[in-house]
């Protein structure tokens, strides 16, 4: 005897998983290394907020 709700659940999980993987494509920005700064340019310091 087949349990259709089990097959429906498996299909739903597969579709949501594939959709989740595809939506993450390219969300982190461009996939290349940024150009290095020239010697005349200084990088801005990182300011950390005061925490408790």
């Amino acid at each position: 005897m087949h349990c259709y709700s089990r097959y429906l659940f498996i299909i739903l999980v597969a579709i949501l998983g594939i959709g989740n993987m595809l939506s993450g494509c390219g969300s982190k920005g461009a996939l290349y290394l940024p150009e290095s700064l020239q010697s005349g340019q200084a990088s801005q310091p990182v300011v950390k907020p005061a925490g408790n």
Side-chain angles (χ1 to χ4, degrees):
M1 183 174 217
H2 298 285
C3 182
Y4 293 108
S5 62
R6 182 176 179 177
Y7 292 129
L8 180 63
F9 178 73
I10 292 172
I11 290 171
L12 180 66
V13 168
I15 289 172
L16 290 176
I18 292 171
N20 192 18
M21 286 188 280
L22 290 176
S23 69
C25 293
S27 65
K28 297 289 183 182
L31 299 177
Y32 61 90
L33 294 174
E35 295 179 14
S36 62
L37 295 174
Q38 295 178 2
S39 61
Q41 297 176 343
S43 63
Q44 296 179 352
V46 177
V47 178
K48 295 182 181 178
N52 296 353

